[in-house]
Amino acid sequence: MKQISEDDALLRLTSLCSTAEHCSHEMIEKMQRWQLADDAQARIIEYLVKEKYIDDERYARFFAKDKIRYNKWGRRKVEQAMWLKHIDGYIQRDVLDDIDDEEYLAVLRPLLKTKRKSVKASSDYEMNMKLIRFAMGRGFTMDIIRQCLDNDNYDDIDNED
């Protein structure tokens, strides 16, 4: 890509940030592709942060909620995705700790219920292992998975009566 001026880069990035949430790492990657000098990148990032165009904590909150609700991801997968976006560890912990376990359960229960219908297993043990593997692949922690599986088994017993 051709090199652009600092003013043009600032204009493009402010326009981009005003339409959607972005993290500072995404902006730095864009400026590196545009072959902007390091000092110009620092000035632009400083301006974007000062004027609240980018805020990594705000970005992380929206990112986590979107990935949990719409992509049906668990805590571990969201955490890994935020790490790839270079979100600071303390921001990740704050954001993920603010999310209630009930929200994860509300996402995982229907996933496991649907998956249970399509999985073939010769025993309950084998079924649970396949469901656990599926849920862990989605990034859910073992304690959340265990809560769902234990509650689902009780629901199945109640439905048989």
Side-chain angles (χ1 to χ4, degrees):
M1 179 168 228
K2 68 177 184 171
Q3 191 171 2
I4 63 173
S5 71
E6 184 176 342
D7 291 337
D8 193 28
L10 181 62
L11 183 64
R12 287 184 188 189
L13 293 178
T14 54
S15 173
L16 183 67
C17 290
S18 65
T19 59
E21 284 294 330
H22 294 281
C23 65
S24 55
H25 180 69
E26 290 174 344
M27 299 299 103
I28 290 169
E29 282 182 332
K30 280 197 178 301
M31 290 187 286
Q32 287 172 347
R33 275 186 300 215
W34 294 337
Q35 301 170 350
L36 231 55
D38 290 342
D39 59 329
Q41 288 181 29
R43 284 191 299 272
I44 291 173
I45 288 293
E46 183 181 334
Y47 175 82
L48 292 173
V49 169
K50 186 179 81 175
E51 296 298 322
K52 302 276 190 221
Y53 281 102
I54 56 175
D55 180 352
D56 283 347
E57 185 171 352
R58 182 181 66 207
Y59 172 80
R61 289 192 187 287
F62 284 111
F63 182 83
K65 287 194 183 294
D66 283 353
K67 294 301 179 187
I68 291 167
R69 286 188 187 138
Y70 302 115
N71 292 33
K72 313 268 189 248
W73 286 4
R75 179 186 174 102
R76 304 295 301 159
K77 196 163 184 174
V78 172
E79 194 173 37
Q80 184 179 29
M82 282 198 270
W83 181 81
L84 289 172
K85 297 269 187 190
H86 297 263
I87 304 294
D88 287 330
Y90 69 91
I91 293 175
Q92 288 180 32
R93 280 188 298 281
D94 286 348
V95 167
L96 292 172
D97 288 346
D98 286 349
I99 298 172
D100 190 30
D101 284 352
E102 285 301 317
E103 203 164 332
Y104 292 116
L105 290 169
V107 168
L108 185 57
R109 278 189 186 112
L111 277 176
L112 289 178
K113 195 171 239 178
T114 303
K115 186 69 175 174
R116 184 182 299 265
K117 293 175 186 173
S118 66
V119 171
K120 292 179 176 48
S122 58
S123 66
D124 285 342
Y125 176 78
E126 185 181 352
M127 173 67 77
N128 282 341
M129 288 300 105
K130 289 181 177 185
L131 292 175
I132 288 170
R133 198 172 315 119
F134 167 76
M136 290 187 94
R138 287 294 190 117
F140 291 95
T141 56
M142 196 60 198
D143 59 327
I144 298 292
I145 298 169
R146 189 52 50 205
Q147 284 180 30
C148 282
L149 289 177
D150 290 347
N151 289 343
D152 283 350
N153 290 340
Y154 293 126
D155 290 344
D156 291 342
I157 293 169
D158 291 341
N159 291 337
E160 290 175 0
D161 290 340

